[in-house]
Every structure is written in C-alpha cells, then in structure tokens.
Amino acid sequence: MRGVLKTNNARNSSRDDHRLVWFYRPNNQHHHHQQPPQQTGKANSCKILCSFWCFNFPSGYELGQQVGRFLERCISEKGGLQFLGVLDLEGVDKPCLPEAIGELINLRYLGLRETYLDTLPSNIGKLLKLQTLDTKHTYVRNYPRSIQKLKKLRHLHLNELQYSSELVSRLSQLSDLRTLSGVVVNELDLVKKKDYGLCLLTNLRKLRLTCQFNNPQRKETVVLNHWLEGLEHLHSVKLSAKDHKNQLATIADLEFVTKNKELSNLYLLGRLDIQFDLNRFPENLTTLTLSGSELTEDPMPKLEKLPKLQFLRLLSESFKGQNMVCSSGGFGRLRVLRIWKLEELQKLSVEEGAMPYLEELEIRYCKNLKELSRVPETLNELKLTKMPEEFTRKFVNLKVVKVLIRV
C-alpha cells in the first residue's frame, strides 16, 4: 500500500476550491514501514486548504499516528489550516489528534467515525464554528467539559456507550442541536432541572437514543414521552429499550408516536407493549423499522393501511407468528420490504393487487419460511440470504426479476 496526498485547486469555478484527499491504494511493492506521503503543489498549500478527507485507510496504529503528525505539522505553520472547514478522518485507526486542533477556528465539520479513539483534545471547545461532531464507533466516554461551549453545534453523533451525568449536563447547554444520536439515558437524565436534563433540547429534528430504565412502567417513561411530544419538528426517531444487562426491554409507552405529526422515519428496537395498537402509527410515516417487537399478531393488516409508507423493515423477532398476509390494495406506496430473522414465519401471502409499487424484497435468515405465495410484478430485485435451499430453488429461474441468492 502507498499513501497518496492530493490537493485540488479548481481555478475555473466561481470560487477557489482547495481540497485535500489522502487515500491508500494497492502497490505491488510491500513495505514494512509507511512513510508519510508528500504533498504536491505549492509550499503554502496547508494555509489555503478548506477540506481534508481520508479514504480507504488500512488498519494500523502507526498510520493513524502519521495522520496526527501531519495535522500537527500543518497547524504549527504560521497561518496553517486557518481556512479548514471540513476534517474527516473516518476509518483512520486512532489518529493522534493534536491539542492544537483548537486553532482550527473555521472548522465546521469534524468526522471521527470508526477511528476508535478513546479521548478527545481538551480544547475542542475552541472550535466555536463547529456544526457537526461525529464520534460514532469510537471509545470516547469522557467528553471534554469544553464541549458545552460549542453553541453552533447542530449535529452530534455519540457512540452508544454509558456516559457520566456530567456529559448530560454539558449536552443540555447545546440548545440548538438538530441531530442527537448514540445517546444512552437513564431515569435521571430526563428530569428537567435548572440548566440540566435532555428535556432542555427542544429543537431536535433527528434523535437516536437508548433508554435504560430500572422500571419502564414508572414515571420516567411519562417524562420521556412529554419531552418527545414537545419536539415539534422531530421527523426521525430511533428508540431502543434495554435493561442494565444490555438486553432488550419493553418500550412501555409510545404516546409520542401518535401525537407527533411530523414524524416520518421511525425505528423501534425493543418489545412493544401488548396494549399498543399499530393502527396508531402516524399517517406521515414513510419509513418504519421494527426489531425485537415480539408481536404475536400479524402486523401486516394494520401496517398496510399507512398511506405514505415506502420502506418497511421487520427485523429480528419483530413478529413471532407463523403467517403474514399482504392483502389486495394494501401497502399502496411501498417500494422496499425487508424481512430478517423471523424464525417462526412459515408463510408470506401476497394477494393480487398488494404492494403495487414494490421494487425490492429482501428475505434473510427466515429458516422456517416455506412459502411466498406471489412475487409482485413490479419487483426489480429479490434478495434471499441464508434461506433454506428448498425455498430458494423456487425462484432460481424467475425471468422477470433479478434474484440474488446468498448462502
């Protein structure tokens, strides 16, 4: 492998575009040690860079250190990286982020996804123009106190680890957040106090959170619903319920789902309360994912009535029954249906006229499924993964649809 560092100066555009891309590609020669790639172009290129991306990085601690040293060297130059607005290190193995990163005063995007870092520089709070911070798939637990100074932060992606109450206190100060994902909350995190509590975040549009309540039937779920109901612009939610052993728990109260009219994308991970009526899902839903729901009654007769639903995923143990029926005229706008790991499902009936716009059907790991009564004529692709041979054999010779079979 060898490193390649490129700058792009697009002089023929309406304004100068200064971008740097560092990626790795195969080389016939094998090296035990990689040398940092040399930058092409003018000597002062670091001073005018606006964006810096890393792509296709192989794993390796030393390679990550190289990226960190390169950044530190650029920042240390007089006026170095002063115009940098985007720094995306996704996939770089534990890059050594210099403390001087706080000098990147124009940085708006900091991408650290899949870097597996366990700490962040303490002066990250100096990045006062930062709008996006992505730490998904890292090991960061203790976010610096200075994070609460990032008043322009709009999109924050955490890593679904347990955090201290101090982090919740700091997040509570970021009142203009639009996206919050990967946050794990307990009972106390939702209680609204002076300058504390996630309930202070009222401008969220997209939310991904895991609830770990000692007793999901207690008043904490009422507090959670009250908060979610008040998020008037919320359009996308992933809500997971787990116990303190990290096992799926019951999502006890979904009142917010029925009252939030803007909600279009909903992902529920956990058992659904037996008293919840699927007919109460909001009519604006375009994407619905259920996983671990443990429904015993066929959900299709109710879900097929959602007038705007285009993407439906029924994942592991969302349904515990043997038969599902898609009736004629149902799922009028559905384009993609994915059914994964419904181990007790034996028959999927698709009546004539059902799912008239379905383009993709994917079935995975449904080991007892014996019959798919009909393949919609509009289907472009049928994906079958880890399915019994006697089931897949029925579809090998289909001419009107692309069939992908993965064993």
Side-chain angles (χ1 to χ4, degrees):
M1 310 288 285
R2 65 189 182 96
V4 180
L5 199 60
K6 292 187 177 181
T7 57
N8 179 18
N9 297 338
R11 297 289 183 183
N12 56 349
S13 61
S14 59
R15 67 174 185 174
D16 292 347
D17 180 17
H18 303 288
R19 294 173 291 180
L20 180 147
V21 180
W22 187 354
F23 64 93
Y24 272 75
R25 66 188 183 193
N27 193 339
N28 292 331
Q29 297 179 354
H30 299 279
H31 300 283
H32 294 289
H33 301 284
Q34 300 292 337
Q35 297 298 321
Q38 299 299 315
Q39 186 177 348
T40 61
K42 297 181 180 180
N44 64 348
S45 294
C46 281
K47 297 181 181 180
I48 60 176
L49 283 176
C50 293
S51 303
F52 177 35
W53 296 278
C54 290
F55 290 112
N56 197 32
F57 257 69
S59 60
Y61 176 78
E62 178 57 31
L63 293 175
Q65 297 299 295
Q66 287 182 22
V67 174
R69 289 193 293 268
F70 174 78
L71 288 173
E72 186 170 26
R73 187 166 64 248
C74 289
I75 296 172
S76 65
E77 295 181 6
K78 185 177 180 180
L81 298 181
Q82 61 179 321
F83 298 112
L84 194 67
V86 175
L87 177 57
D88 192 349
L89 304 179
E90 180 174 346
V92 177
D93 192 0
K94 293 188 176 181
C96 181
L97 294 181
E99 282 293 326
I101 197 172
E103 303 302 317
L104 304 178
I105 58 174
N106 287 303
L107 197 66
R108 302 182 310 277
Y109 181 97
L110 179 56
L112 303 174
R113 183 173 295 209
E114 294 185 3
T115 60
Y116 303 103
L117 286 170
D118 50 22
T119 59
L120 294 177
S122 60
N123 63 355
I124 195 173
K126 295 176 66 177
L127 303 175
L128 298 181
K129 294 185 179 180
L130 196 66
Q131 297 179 15
T132 299
L133 175 59
D134 188 347
T135 61
K136 189 174 183 179
H137 300 309
T138 68
Y139 297 125
V140 177
R141 287 181 179 271
N142 298 314
Y143 288 75
R145 181 184 301 274
S146 62
I147 194 175
Q148 65 192 34
K149 297 179 181 179
L150 304 178
K151 300 300 184 182
K152 292 191 176 181
L153 199 64
R154 298 295 182 266
H155 310 284
L156 177 59
H157 302 273
L158 304 177
N159 48 26
E160 299 185 359
L161 298 177
Q162 282 285 4
Y163 312 105
S164 63
S165 58
E166 286 81 4
L167 176 60
V168 174
S169 177
R170 295 161 193 166
L171 295 182
S172 303
Q173 311 302 313
L174 306 177
S175 58
D176 283 332
L177 273 182
R178 302 297 194 267
T179 301
L180 177 61
S181 72
V183 63
V184 181
V185 300
N186 59 34
E187 293 91 335
L188 298 178
D189 295 334
L190 297 172
V191 177
K192 186 175 181 180
K193 301 177 183 178
K194 182 180 180 181
D195 298 328
Y196 181 88
L198 294 181
C199 291
L200 295 173
L201 303 179
T202 58
N203 291 309
L204 292 172
R205 272 69 167 167
K206 186 175 182 179
L207 179 62
R208 304 284 186 269
L209 81 162
T210 299
C211 297
Q212 287 192 327
F213 296 156
N214 286 323
N215 186 346
Q217 302 295 336
R218 293 173 53 192
K219 64 179 181 179
E220 287 77 18
T221 58
V222 177
V223 176
L224 173 64
N225 270 282
H226 181 72
W227 173 41
L228 297 180
E229 287 175 19
L231 299 177
E232 297 180 353
H233 304 291
L234 191 66
H235 64 79
S236 179
V237 175
K238 179 179 179 180
L239 178 61
S240 305
K242 295 186 179 181
D243 59 26
H244 285 272
K245 294 182 180 179
N246 210 37
Q247 301 299 311
L248 288 185
T250 299
I251 304 175
D253 193 345
L254 285 172
E255 193 65 25
F256 81 93
V257 169
T258 66
K259 295 184 178 180
N260 196 309
K261 303 303 181 183
E262 297 294 321
L263 197 61
S264 60
N265 187 333
L266 180 62
Y267 188 140
L268 298 175
L269 176 58
R271 293 187 296 273
L272 296 187
D273 192 297
I274 58 175
Q275 297 180 354
F276 180 74
D277 186 354
L278 299 184
N279 282 321
R280 301 183 68 191
F281 280 133
E283 292 188 350
N284 279 331
L285 278 185
T286 60
T287 302
L288 176 63
T289 302
L290 300 178
S291 183
S293 312
E294 297 188 2
L295 299 171
T296 56
E297 181 181 338
D298 180 7
M300 295 308 202
K302 294 180 178 180
L303 298 182
E304 69 184 10
K305 297 176 183 178
L306 291 170
K308 298 182 180 181
L309 193 64
Q310 298 183 43
F311 303 90
L312 176 60
R313 297 193 302 173
L314 300 176
L315 307 185
S316 179
E317 296 188 350
S318 56
F319 176 55
K320 305 283 283 185
Q322 297 181 353
N323 301 301
M324 289 198 303
V325 179
C326 302
S327 59
S328 179
F331 291 115
R333 298 184 65 177
L334 196 68
R335 293 167 50 198
V336 176
L337 174 60
R338 294 190 172 123
I339 299 174
W340 298 358
K341 299 185 75 171
L342 303 187
E343 296 186 355
E344 298 177 40
L345 182 65
Q346 296 184 15
K347 183 177 180 180
L348 175 59
S349 299
V350 180
E351 295 181 357
E352 185 77 29
M355 301 185 285
Y357 295 104
L358 193 68
E359 299 172 2
E360 180 183 321
L361 173 59
E362 181 177 6
I363 304 176
R364 288 190 187 185
Y365 301 102
C366 296
K367 61 182 182 181
N368 288 311
L369 183 60
K370 297 177 174 60
E371 182 179 350
L372 171 60
S373 65
R374 177 178 165 272
V375 175
E377 296 177 358
T378 58
L379 203 65
N380 292 327
E381 192 169 79
L382 174 63
K383 297 180 180 179
L384 304 175
T385 302
K386 296 289 185 180
M387 294 295 295
E389 184 179 353
E390 58 270 23
F391 180 83
T392 59
R393 192 184 303 124
K394 303 174 184 177
F395 305 98
V396 170
N397 296 319
L398 278 179
K399 302 297 184 183
V400 295
V401 63
K402 181 180 180 181
V403 181
L404 300 177
I405 299 177
R406 297 183 177 93
V407 296

